[in-house]
Amino acid sequence: IAHQPNDVIRKIVLTIDTMNPTVKNVEYAVRGPIVQRAMQVEKELREGVKKPFTEVIKANIGDAHAMGQKPITFFRQVLALCSYPELLNENMFPEDAKNRARRILQACGGSSVGAYSASQGIDCVRQDVARYIERRDGGVPCDPDNVYLTTGASDGIVTMLKLLVCGEGASRTGVMISIPQYPLYSAALAELGAVQVNYYLNEEKCWSMDLSELERSLAEARKHCNPKALCIINPGNPTGQVQSRQCIEDVIRFAAKERLFLMADEVYQDNVYAEGCQFHSFKKVLFELGPEYSDNVELASFHSTSKCYMGECGFRGGYMEVINMDPEVQAQLSKLVSVRLCPPVPGQVLMDLVVNSPQPGEPSYTTFMKERTATLSLLAEKAKLTEQILNTVPGITCNPVQGAMYSFPNISLPEKSIKEAKALGQAPDMFYCMKLLEETGICLVPGSGFGQKDGTYHFRMTILPPTDKLKILLAKVKEFHQKFTQQYS
Amino acid sequence: IAHQPNDVIRKIVLTIDTMNPTVKNVEYAVRGPIVQRAMQVEKELREGVKKPFTEVIKANIGDAHAMGQKPITFFRQVLALCSYPELLNENMFPEDAKNRARRILQACGGSSVGAYSASQGIDCVRQDVARYIERRDGGVPCDPDNVYLTTGASDGIVTMLKLLVCGEGASRTGVMISIPQYPLYSAALAELGAVQVNYYLNEEKCWSMDLSELERSLAEARKHCNPKALCIINPGNPTGQVQSRQCIEDVIRFAAKERLFLMADEVYQDNVYAEGCQFHSFKKVLFELGPEYSDNVELASFHSTSKCYMGECGFRGGYMEVINMDPEVQAQLSKLVSVRLCPPVPGQVLMDLVVNSPQPGEPSYTTFMKERTATLSLLAEKAKLTEQILNTVPGITCNPVQGAMYSFPNISLPEKSIKEAKALGQAPDMFYCMKLLEETGICLVPGSGFGQKDGTYHFRMTILPPTDKLKILLAKVKEFHQKFTQQYS
């Protein structure tokens, strides 16, 4: 867009030329142009504009409740009790929900979730998180002082990157991220002015991490920056793989040898569907490798209330655990988080309920387990369904959705469509996804928004739509892909 | 602290020397060393350590609920209904609370506050904010597209600064902030690597803004940086003044003439106590000055759910309105906020209730008004009490607490105490406040944490403790100040 001529007359201070250039470099595909267009299309439908479809089906973002997933009853009961403690006098709530609410309220200033908490998070919630991590990791100890509650996992990841990033020119901090990646990483690195160091996941081997690729990427990066950290998303976003124990071990040994700070994004830790796959936390594997590693390798691990079986994105709850962090640096971290006062307290409450869910014998246990299992089973079913149907389409190849909430299939695009996209200044898979949206009402995110090997094309779709809609979606994608291929052949 | 020798052996990546240096420059007094010590003292008391007092009284932070202020019943009812919509079937809630909850839930994905909202905030909430601003400003129009919901006001302020700040050396962005200031500003500027440009409030004239001081400050700054923005906190934090309409007009004319982007922190807009004082929003005054100003001057204004009569800090709700922002820059702003997905939805709900509170004729109106008025009257009473008692102490001079939640009295410190403090490497008012804490259990924040004229000393205290505790606190401060003065004379 050219500048408005009245910029001069208006003597405006902040223009595209005078603003912070690092912000201009930020891109975030998950809410990018395709999603903006999808919202316009929805508006047009509401206004009665005729389209070849009657509704937009959004599979662009891991937003479970928006796709019809129901919240866990127990969690919402406790949240209601904490919001309006007069409800503690009512008979309609089970005792365990009331007990959780009372315990949390006691830990809040003035017994109100409206008080600021400690900047690091409510003490008893951090203690519960620590016990949860210990149970999850088969007894590996966790110190609540190393747990920081966050405003969703994004906040924790950005905060850690902020601590790590510095330098200019050839000594600028480099941060290794997987390609494909979740674009929060590229966005944060762009904003912080750090160097994004790409390592490619191996699509042929179900998006696994190859040691040789990590080595190549690091050697390359060392020529022009100072690589200090290695980020892993496991289970994978956007790629849906679950890394093997062996792979995690290799990555830890690599980080130790090469002196890299590990950042493990483990927000999908309960989202594991495939036979033979299992979630291994980086922390557990680190400690199983013995003191040579567990006393030395620095690790930050992130979790969230937004994914898994709860899908409570709107509450922006999360935590990070830091391991082997230098005490002086950790003091700086604690100071840094104090500037924003505290993470949202309702999100902290929810995080507590996730790590301290109803136990056998408690009145809410049966319902909780039923709801949790139903949600995870349905996701497993939809993961399988997605993979199976996509793989029936000539020109679409889809790895198994072992975990997380996404499929990231490879799509063959005809040469003619690639040329036409380039003539329009669009990435070929953006061109494809835009056409898909206009013709079918389906909103997916082009692979180019996550990064991919040159010359390959993908899209990311969530497996979250209700089964009936997911089937419609997959059938439409199939039909569209065939038509698109014909049209441009 | 010296480095641990094992840093070398542990081959740690992230040390105080390799971390981001801008983070090291961040300071945040409101949760600084004095508050950490207060928490230790509380712990010691719990453990039975003998002290000359039995409890710590905290007047260091504007955290109303922690100080016993009760939440507004209507707000909490709607929050409970939104958290657990099954409650909509119960008879215990008034119809207007249910209607508000239904309307908000309808605007949420999947009718759940657990879904992500639009990054800019829920549409209907932004519309309600716009109507609130129009009513507040006597009909000056407000476009909901210019309203961004935020994670508390802090988030909005940091986001705006992020857009503004760039450059190196003599072209680095300068941002003018009042001294004394709320240390979020200095912390954010340090982290962003911007130049903090101080202008001093006039303590003799009840902390008003002097045009000549703004001119001096700007002229000085232009010698070594590129000043682009001017921040104002009104009503004032930590200084408790309410700026006059004339003063705001002067500031706007100054910003227009000097091409400065205005940032108006107006989170205390309902906290006005003194006779003859009134809150004037920067936006209203801007529009009353006519199109020469209202078409030209760029302004961002911030509000929050944390202060005023609601004091709901834990929910991290807030909004900002941007006026006359360049459309290309605003597109960048919208992109930037999308990376963090959305502000916490419960905070958005609360923000909606604040701008769309019960109306005459609705069932909750009477109770709402009673609660609101009681809270604000009590604050007005405590503002007066604080000023009156502090001014009876020889060596303490206190401006009227016209608004906000703080008193920032000037304290005379004996030369000997200043020397002793300096010998300990402490700011003299930090030395004073630490001694006050150790001897009386009262936790205040030293003026040096907010900035003050060289050679003057202050502390900030909130007026929030319950009246009986506030009286004890003030009596203890009085006694302590007299003893301290004697001891060091």
Side-chain angles (χ1 to χ4, degrees), chain A residues 12-13 65 83 112 259 298, chain B residues 12-13 65 76 112 259 298:
Chain A
I12 227 163
V13 180
H65 290 198
S83 299
S112 169
R259 297 191 58 180
E298 295 150 88
Chain B
I12 226 162
V13 180
H65 290 198
R76 294 309 195 88
S112 169
R259 297 190 58 179
E298 296 151 86

Side-chain angles (χ1 to χ4, degrees), chain B residues 83-96:
Chain B
S83 300
Y84 189 53
E86 278 73 4
L87 293 171
L88 286 164
N89 307 319
E90 300 293 323
N91 292 323
M92 54 183 306
F93 292 98
E95 268 315 305
D96 50 351

Side-chain angles (χ1 to χ4, degrees), chain A residues 67-81:
Chain A
M67 291 290 102
Q69 186 181 307
K70 292 286 160 255
I72 296 286
T73 304
F74 179 78
F75 292 180
R76 294 309 195 88
Q77 288 175 331
V78 178
L79 281 165
L81 289 160

Side-chain angles (χ1 to χ4, degrees), chain B residues 99-272:
Chain B
N99 288 338
R100 291 288 199 296
R102 281 192 202 100
R103 178 161 171 270
I104 291 165
L105 288 171
Q106 256 170 31
C108 292
S111 297
S112 169
V113 288
Y116 290 122
S117 75
S119 300
Q120 199 171 343
I122 299 172
D123 275 6
C124 80
V125 178
R126 290 189 296 108
Q127 283 156 16
D128 289 347
V129 168
R131 281 197 291 266
Y132 161 82
I133 293 173
E134 288 178 352
R135 280 197 309 277
R136 183 197 68 188
D137 292 342
V140 175
C142 175
D143 182 347
D145 287 347
N146 293 336
V147 173
Y148 290 76
L149 298 183
T150 57
T151 307
S154 305
D155 168 48
I157 292 165
V158 172
T159 300
M160 261 316 305
L161 289 174
K162 225 182 246 177
L163 284 181
L164 279 159
V165 164
C166 58
E168 291 297 326
S171 68
R172 265 209 296 168
T173 298
V175 176
M176 298 179 72
I177 63 171
S178 62
I179 297 294
Q181 55 116 14
Y182 173 56
L184 167 70
Y185 290 90
S186 50
L189 294 174
E191 200 189 309
L192 292 166
V195 179
Q196 174 180 329
V197 177
N198 296 338
Y199 66 87
Y200 289 86
L201 299 174
N202 189 335
E203 185 166 14
E204 282 68 45
K205 290 213 241 131
C206 203
W207 300 113
S208 62
M209 287 172 81
D210 279 351
L211 208 53
S212 59
E213 168 57 13
L214 289 175
E215 282 162 354
R216 178 207 65 75
S217 160
L218 182 64
E220 194 65 37
R222 284 203 169 129
K223 293 180 194 159
H224 60 91
C225 72
N226 176 19
K228 273 166 47 176
L230 168 57
C231 303
I232 307 100
I233 311 173
N234 180 51
N237 177 6
T239 37
Q241 82 286 14
V242 178
Q243 299 295 2
S244 68
R245 200 188 170 291
Q246 183 59 52
C247 164
I248 293 170
E249 222 176 86
D250 290 348
V251 171
I252 292 172
R253 288 183 203 278
F254 173 78
K257 181 167 149 249
E258 303 292 352
R259 297 190 58 179
L260 294 167
F261 191 110
L262 281 173
M263 290 177 57
D265 180 340
E266 300 179 321
V267 300
Y268 298 99
Q269 53 192 265
D270 294 327
N271 297 106
V272 176

